[in-house]
Amino acid sequence: MTMAALGVGALGLAACSGPSSVNSQGSSTGASAIDFSGVKPASEITFWTNNPGGSGDVTSKICTDFKAKEGIAVRIVPAGSSYEEVAQKFQTALTGQDTPDVIIGSDVWWFRYYMQDAIIPLDDVLKAAKVDVTAYRKGLIDDYRYKDHLYALPFARSTPLFYYNKSHFKAAGLPDRAPRTWDEWRTWAGKLQNAKTGAQYAYQFPSVTDYAGWTLQNILWGYGGGWSKKDSFDITCDSDNSIQALTFVRDAVLTDKWAGVSSNESTDDMAAGACSATIGSTGSLVGVQKAVGNKFEVGVGFLPGGPVTTHSVCPTGGAGVAICSRSSKDKQLAAAKFIGFLTNAENTIDLSAATGYMPVCTTSDTSKLLKENPLIGQAIKQLDATRPQDYARVFVPGGDQEIAKAVASVIQQGGELKPTMSKLRATLEGIYTSQVKPHV
């Protein structure tokens, strides 16, 4: 497999079962060439999205501009408030006829769409639509490649960032920067707790029901562990290094008590002054800045490293856009033109300015963007220190939910760590063996 992975903004997933990974014929999915010669693009297509990061207005403007340029109308369908809700609606639609032409897909969903034969390989249709794929950041577009074919274009892309309250840091006598390691942060957390900043906790872990598998990968990698081995389905959530990392997390909450666990959005908690620092998506950046206003200055930095690994410990995140296999060729061609326009060098800058998601094209002029909001530059710089996500989270159907349940049982309910992670490993291995291995 030549896939990497994405990540995502903070959106709920607790009750979602998601699509089956098996296609309608129950056979292995394969890609074949699609001939678009002589095809004229349709005059109207539909786009199902959850408007990640509050991107509804900017996406609507891009669609208006696209119609003015190409004469193709795009009907935006708000298909849910999260990637999971969109996926559920798409799953239901696949049993009938009312499917979209363009579908948004996060890191944990696009591969399932692929295994269902629900989306098409884009190589031929992008060529027919004259979309230059070399303009995209290689590390982002390669996230959607499988068996030498491309299945989506990067759209709302992010990395997690370390967010902090500069006023609290100053009150605690801390440097104006993110900690370089989690060991350093443990020391800083104690100083913040003693500084009487008014915060309940020095640090707030993001809600464990909202992408614990994504936000905790950084800590596991720093300790030399992971949910699975790099670029492999070899599950390692109960390895010694992974247990050490999760012990750090558990002790921060239950023993040392310098950290809490958010019940909703940890970045909202920080904006409200309930904690001094947290990890959140870059797609939350603009929203955090608006929520904070003039109350304090927001600082951001790279994710901390660990005692084993200090570099390349940051996962990427966010979503891409794919084209539905049910659509007619004329709609697929129109859809290809649209997703190329939606994610081009100019429009990706507009999306970034409105939300905090990263520009996905190397040809984008980021000078104005960085001048208006320099903090976005930290996310762009951190791209050089990213690592593909663990397969156990993004390519095992339901893996993210299983990880979330296991983590919650340990750090919120006080469950035993090693037995819980060993049970999680068995569960993930079982899903892989029954749902993934026969189809890849």
Side-chain angles (χ1 to χ4, degrees):
M1 300 178 82
T2 58
M3 300 173 293
L6 330 181
V8 69
L11 300 164
L13 55 77
C16 300
S17 60
S20 165
S21 65
V22 182
N23 63 37
S24 58
Q25 289 75 36
S27 61
S28 178
T29 305
S32 57
I34 306 174
D35 184 9
F36 286 93
S37 59
V39 176
K40 292 184 179 180
S43 60
E44 182 176 340
I45 57 173
T46 58
F47 173 31
W48 284 15
T49 180
N50 61 306
N51 293 317
S55 57
D57 289 344
V58 65
T59 302
S60 180
K61 181 183 181 302
I62 291 171
C63 290
T64 299
D65 294 343
F66 178 67
K67 183 178 181 181
K69 182 177 185 293
E70 298 286 349
I72 300 171
V74 179
R75 183 166 65 92
I76 300 176
V77 177
S81 62
S82 69
Y83 297 129
E84 289 66 39
E85 289 183 7
V86 175
Q88 291 284 52
K89 184 171 182 177
F90 188 39
Q91 174 68 78
T92 301
L94 289 172
T95 65
Q97 299 299 321
D98 186 20
T99 51
D101 302 303
V102 176
I103 183 75
I104 197 165
S106 76
D107 48 358
V108 300
W109 293 105
W110 78 264
F111 189 60
R112 292 183 233 187
Y113 297 164
Y114 157 80
M115 288 197 290
Q116 288 180 293
D117 283 332
I119 56 177
I120 65 169
L122 298 181
D123 312 81
D124 297 321
V125 72
L126 290 178
K127 185 176 180 179
K130 295 181 171 58
V131 175
D132 180 13
V133 296
T134 65
Y136 296 89
R137 295 180 183 274
K138 188 177 186 302
L140 299 183
I141 195 169
D142 283 354
D143 284 341
Y144 306 100
R145 295 190 189 278
Y146 181 63
K147 291 185 177 178
D148 298 323
H149 290 283
L150 180 68
Y151 287 90
L153 288 182
F155 171 48
R157 296 302 309 272
S158 63
T159 63
L161 279 175
F162 189 93
Y163 288 80
Y164 64 96
N165 182 321
K166 289 194 172 190
S167 296
H168 288 187
F169 273 42
K170 184 176 181 180
L174 299 176
D176 182 12
R177 61 171 175 84
R180 295 189 176 94
T181 65
W182 285 108
D183 282 340
E184 182 176 49
W185 174 248
R186 179 162 34 196
T187 301
W188 289 11
K191 294 180 179 179
L192 283 162
Q193 291 289 85
N194 294 329
K196 298 180 179 181
T197 62
Q200 184 177 5
Y201 296 107
Y203 182 82
Q204 193 86 309
F205 285 104
S207 171
V208 293
T209 58
D210 291 345
Y211 301 98
W214 185 53
T215 56
L216 292 181
Q217 276 178 117
N218 156 255
I219 296 178
L220 267 69
W221 292 346
Y223 274 79
W227 303 120
S228 56
K229 285 186 179 179
K230 188 175 181 180
D231 300 334
S232 168
F233 283 104
D234 184 2
I235 309 300
T236 58
C237 59
D238 65 342
S239 69
D240 289 345
N241 288 347
S242 296
I243 293 299
Q244 288 176 16
L246 292 169
T247 298
F248 169 85
V249 175
R250 181 195 61 191
D251 289 352
V253 175
L254 299 180
T255 304
D256 301 328
K257 298 184 179 180
W258 50 259
V261 180
S262 180
S263 60
N264 191 10
E265 301 281 358
S266 63
T267 48
D268 289 347
D269 297 338
M270 195 202 75
C275 64
S276 300
T278 189
I279 281 178
S281 167
T282 58
S284 302
L285 177 58
V286 173
V288 169
Q289 290 173 312
K290 289 179 180 178
V292 169
N294 295 322
K295 290 186 291 186
F296 61 86
E297 187 178 354
V298 177
V300 298
F302 287 13
L303 299 193
V308 175
T309 304
T310 57
H311 300 288
S312 297
V313 292
C314 177
T316 54
V321 281
I323 297 176
C324 185
S325 59
R326 293 279 188 87
S327 298
S328 58
K329 281 188 177 181
D330 62 333
K331 287 184 176 292
Q332 289 175 348
L333 182 57
K337 287 179 174 289
F338 169 63
I339 64 174
F341 186 82
L342 176 69
T343 61
N344 70 18
E346 294 76 25
N347 288 326
T348 190
I349 290 291
D350 291 342
L351 180 75
S352 184
T355 63
Y357 285 113
M358 293 180 296
V360 299
C361 294
T362 58
T363 52
S364 296
D365 181 359
T366 60
S367 57
K368 182 179 178 181
L369 174 67
L370 297 182
K371 183 177 181 181
E372 293 176 352
N373 193 346
L375 295 189
I376 292 177
Q378 288 293 320
I380 297 174
K381 292 177 183 177
Q382 195 174 215
L383 276 174
D384 294 332
T386 56
R387 169 178 162 178
Q389 288 195 63
D390 291 338
Y391 285 11
R393 179 188 179 249
V394 291
F395 299 137
V396 172
D400 205 27
Q401 291 104 313
E402 295 297 337
I403 290 170
K405 287 190 295 184
V407 171
S409 71
V410 170
I411 69 173
Q412 291 186 300
Q413 300 161 22
E416 293 186 52
L417 184 52
K418 180 70 174 181
T420 299
M421 290 302 119
S422 294
K423 182 179 178 181
L424 173 63
R425 185 189 70 185
T427 299
L428 295 175
E429 288 175 342
I431 297 172
Y432 166 71
T433 299
S434 63
Q435 298 191 42
V436 180
K437 187 177 181 180
H439 308 287
V440 297

